[in-house]
Amino acid sequence: MNLESLYQELILDHYKNPLHKGLVSPADASVHHVNPSCGDEVDLNLTIRDGEIQSVSWDGVGCSISQASTSVMSDLVQGRTVDEASQVIDAFMEVMQSKGSTTGDESLLGDAVAFAGVSKYPARIKCALLGWMAFKDALVQLGGYRAKDSGEAK
Amino acid sequence: MNLESLYQELILDHYKNPLHKGLVSPADASVHHVNPSCGDEVDLNLTIRDGEIQSVSWDGVGCSISQASTSVMSDLVQGRTVDEASQVIDAFMEVMQSKGSTTGDESLLGDAVAFAGVSKYPARIKCALLGWMAFKDALVQLGGYRAKDSGEAK
Amino acid sequence: MPLDVARIKKDFPILARTVRNEHPLVYLDSAATSQKPVAVMKAESDFYSQHNAAVHRGAHLLAEEATDAYEGAREAVARFIGAKSDEVIFTKSATESLNLLAYSWGNAPSNSRFHLAPGDVIVLSEAEHHANLIPWQELARRSGAILRWFGVDDEGRIDLSNIDSIIDSRTKIVAITHQSNVTGAITPLTSIVAAARSHNALIVLDACQSAPHFAIDVKELEVDFLAFSGHKMVGPTGIGILWGREELLAEMPPFLFGGSMVTAVTMEGASYAAPPKRFEAGVPNMAQAVGLHAAIDYLNAVGMGQIHEHEVALTEYALSGLSSIAGVGIVGPTEIKDRGGVLSFTVEGIHPHDVGQGLDDLGIAVRTGHHCAWPLMKRMGVVATTRASLYLYNEKSDVDALLLGIEKVQSFFGSKGIGR
Amino acid sequence: MPLDVARIKKDFPILARTVRNEHPLVYLDSAATSQKPVAVMKAESDFYSQHNAAVHRGAHLLAEEATDAYEGAREAVARFIGAKSDEVIFTKSATESLNLLAYSWGNAPSNSRFHLAPGDVIVLSEAEHHANLIPWQELARRSGAILRWFGVDDEGRIDLSNIDSIIDSRTKIVAITHQSNVTGAITPLTSIVAAARSHNALIVLDACQSAPHFAIDVKELEVDFLAFSGHKMVGPTGIGILWGREELLAEMPPFLFGGSMVTAVTMEGASYAAPPKRFEAGVPNMAQAVGLHAAIDYLNAVGMGQIHEHEVALTEYALSGLSSIAGVGIVGPTEIKDRGGVLSFTVEGIHPHDVGQGLDDLGIAVRTGHHCAWPLMKRMGVVATTRASLYLYNEKSDVDALLLGIEKVQSFFGSKGIGR
Ligand SMILES: Cc1ncc(COP(=O)(O)O)c(C=O)c1O
Ligand SMILES: Cc1ncc(COP(=O)(O)O)c(C=O)c1O
């Protein structure tokens, strides 16, 4: 089987032992996202203090990709400034849209580079993005997200 | 040109000099029919006395086929019993649906057999039937039309 | 006589192709859309190469030929379901067919038998595909009608125990699926039809998953309307069928408005033609109707009875195979009685997306997700399933590939400590 | 550089066929539907032979490929009209596209900018095809809105003299044709768009007869919505396009309800996806979208500018030829300025049906009747016309055949004492 490159150990480890899973309340923003093509769901709580991500926590059901990706994301942005977190989101989105042509900048994306293989499977990109989109949405709600270019969230 | 067989002299003669054109009023039934595919129209007045067609008159605009066919029809059924007229309608309908396989019974249809060629041109059948359908409708309105088979008008 | 599947497969060029890692394609997603035989593609391109013209409109030879081809397709559909030709309406899909009904009835004036008043009841089931659910939700919203629905049991079978309180004198419409696209369960129509009839309710049957798989006769079914899609029955995409009883269609208001469905038009208003034209505004999907005709000819040549028997045998084989894999749970009836060849299942500890991904990697095409039947998924207690669905071109080797594939997926994830 | 029509003709197999009495086909009915090049048929059968699967639904390779092909077609359409990809919605026809708008807006709640209240005004013209007339009549009937319309002058050109009383502060919608399918007259859009903009009215353009014939850019047109059909632009039947401005589509309620257009569904209600998915319920007309893509590639390879120049020259030639036949009257502009290659005419004393029949007998395919524009016919003072319409594969010899044909028809009927 050729699944090894998609399902890297790191991904499956996060799947088995997800980080920051279990909602921490109260939070500044709470969002609920669904992947309409499969029904997978994620709830995410976000708290920001002085322009820094103080806490991201989440809960949800989903496939290995969506669960692991949410786990990696939540660990990656913890403690970062809102601007840095926005940059990380943009970088991850770029990798996901790359159809396998880029693995992304490891210094920025850390463990999230392991998901580069997902971008070759269009139907799974939504899985990988579920938690990220929830996080971005929460950031936008708190007025925190800064898009890289025009200033308009897309 | 091969139009001779379709546009027989008899048809074009009726077109040039239509019979019973000009509405005779009052009448027992007045109907208005339209050919939705071209907008051609016919008005028809019908009067029945003692089970006999006393008067069929009509007016309208249309192509040579529709005008001539209405002219032939109106002359053919004049003075007939309602039952005979119903038979004539059915016989003409049959010819029209025959795709050129039958010319019809001349003893019943008279000049109307000249329209047999029309049945090879599906788009023109509605032209040939415009006046006939108006007449049938008027008969039905007066409770006169008797369908050949099941007793149900179709 | 069993089907000669090897020969049938040759008629479907796509089944000869290889997919990921040079695996030969094992296509088990026919409930989503079926594959097409060469005859269907050829019928469409022959139409375009020889007869293409706008039907019902021109006075020239091509227009006549195109009209004959289009109306010939209507007759073929009518024969296929035991109906009259003028009772068959071409739409773009079953989805449009069902929306056509909901909008037409929403357009009905208050003196029409199709008019819904506040408090009138539309009956559905929990097993409906979104296409036979949301149009009715919206009609209810617009009209003030109320939705009621049959529940389903743990095998996904429609539960008739409370039929008397579901279908009652306030019930105007019963819209129900013939066969579930998730569980494969076939609906017990007889009692539903009897109850609906006794209360004079209109019966709409979603035949998307039945018409392609076994012979249907609308007179025997005793329903009023039937909707299905060409693309699920080896026909082209872009064509659906709505059948309705002659006397009902005759009274129904139109849905889409435009050319060829009128008798007269002014700037202020229009009057409408008789069915089926009344319901087919604009230049229709002519080539698709012609392709559907070829599809029906193809299915008839194989034989709907044969196809059904073949699928029953294959489904039995697949059911017993799936049941014998530890950790696999069938979502739907586990016995062949009153069920078709749609097989939804879960694999313990492995999410359907991951199962589907693993199978895809082996060249096995299945569907994963909620299958556009979200309420049913909730009722069955799953977020998603993996679904394999069978058709005339599938054979035991396809099922074997699936069974082996599931085991491989299990051992792949198992080796990583996931699943069992 | 003039078009190499002889080479183009070779791409359209039907143009090599003979019709009545072994006459070679002279196809002059492209305004009803165009013919199709081999590339379009091949694109559809390649899709079915290699990539067919339900888009957006499966997790397997074929589903990915089918989705790429379908979304690739959307991008091609977007580029063709200067739009963004997500602004392009696939329907079954222009007729459906226009009905989609009328129904969606009819579904809009009272706080929506699309909601129509009694007394709101919908503006049309007397030159509309039924497809851009009756849906608005019905929306007016349902909402209490009022219809107003531009008249046309004796050449069939839209009369703007009273534009200020037609488009005013009560006007919510202006739905108008870009080019008449009867007279060929091109609508003077600039002042209409300016008036509609100044009153904040939505502008819907029926581009059925323009998009196939010259380059269109929605940004330059400054309209809000655009509808056209694939089958009139060398594409397949069964596919239409609706383009709408991103920010407007984002607010519009859905039209057809079913699978793939939702974000979540319960038995009681559903929430809807973002455009374009919101407007594409069910398994879409995938092969037709792919065929349309091939059609657009074909037109682009020839060049929309070239096609337009070719048609202008041919139309001028036909106009002067028709004008020079005694007894022939052109219904529409007699000069080439702001008109396309749709040529309606009457022949003195001979009914259009009889003219069409005579031409058909010579292998010349034209259309006769009211061309689904009944109000315009009344305004022009005719019951019906004969209509010849030109496209990229027509050449002077086709026009010559038409002109000679008309004279033959005149002499045939003339010899019987009919006409002149
Ligand atoms: C100007 C115009 N609008 C609308 C239509 C309707 O297009 P369709 O029949 O492809 O839906 C047509 C063609 O029939 C047309 O010419
Ligand atoms: C049971 C059922 N109903 C309705 C539909 C909708 O059919 P379509 O998407 O072809 O319109 C489907 C298939 O998707 C189905 O399986």
Side-chain angles (χ1 to χ4, degrees), chain D residues 239-263:
Chain D
I239 187 145
I241 296 98
L242 175 65
W243 167 82
R245 273 183 205 282
E246 195 171 34
E247 63 274 22
L248 293 173
L249 290 180
E251 288 177 40
M252 268 170 57
F255 161 50
L256 296 180
F257 302 93
S260 299
M261 49 78 73
V262 298
T263 52

Side-chain angles (χ1 to χ4, degrees), chain C residues 85-166:
Chain C
S85 190
D86 282 353
E87 296 178 327
V88 171
I89 295 161
F90 286 126
T91 62
K92 70 171 176 178
S93 62
T95 299
E96 187 195 339
S97 300
L98 293 163
N99 278 276
L100 186 162
L101 293 176
Y103 274 114
S104 165
W105 299 349
N107 285 341
S110 54
N111 61 354
S112 155
R113 76 163 287 180
F114 300 106
H115 182 77
L116 287 177
D120 284 346
V121 171
I122 303 171
V123 168
L124 311 168
S125 89
E126 226 172 10
E128 299 313 314
H129 187 280
H130 296 162
N132 197 33
L133 168 58
I134 315 181
W136 305 115
Q137 291 178 345
E138 290 288 322
L139 177 59
R141 189 183 55 70
R142 290 195 301 270
S143 64
I146 291 162
L147 293 185
R148 276 191 208 142
W149 53 88
F150 291 105
V152 303
D153 68 17
D154 293 343
E155 281 209 320
R157 294 207 180 271
I158 289 175
D159 172 8
L160 296 178
S161 60
N162 55 350
I163 186 166
D164 293 338
S165 61
I166 301 248

Side-chain angles (χ1 to χ4, degrees), chain D residues 406-418:
Chain D
I406 295 171
E407 285 169 348
K408 283 191 183 168
V409 169
Q410 284 181 317
S411 72
F412 171 79
F413 284 102
S415 73
K416 315 280 183 179
I418 292 166

Side-chain angles (χ1 to χ4, degrees), chain A residues 2 4 7 16 36 64 124, chain C residues 351 353-354 357 361 370 416:
Chain A
N2 200 2
E4 300 282 353
Y7 292 109
K16 284 181 284 181
S64 60
R124 303 307 296 279
Chain C
H351 189 279
H353 263 193
D354 295 321
Q357 188 83 44
D361 205 56
H370 54 62
K416 316 280 183 181

Side-chain angles (χ1 to χ4, degrees), chain C residues 93-95 129 131 177 181 206 208-209 229 231-232, chain D residues 57 282-283:
Chain C
S93 62
T95 299
H129 187 280
T177 190
N181 68 314
D206 176 353
C208 279
Q209 299 291 344
S229 279
H231 70 90
K232 291 187 204 274
Chain D
R57 294 190 170 198
V283 173

Side-chain angles (χ1 to χ4, degrees), chain C residues 57 282-283, chain D residues 93-95 129 131 177 181 206 208-209 229 231-232:
Chain C
R57 295 191 170 195
V283 173
Chain D
S93 62
T95 299
H129 186 281
T177 190
N181 68 313
D206 175 354
C208 279
Q209 298 292 343
S229 279
H231 70 91
K232 293 189 204 273

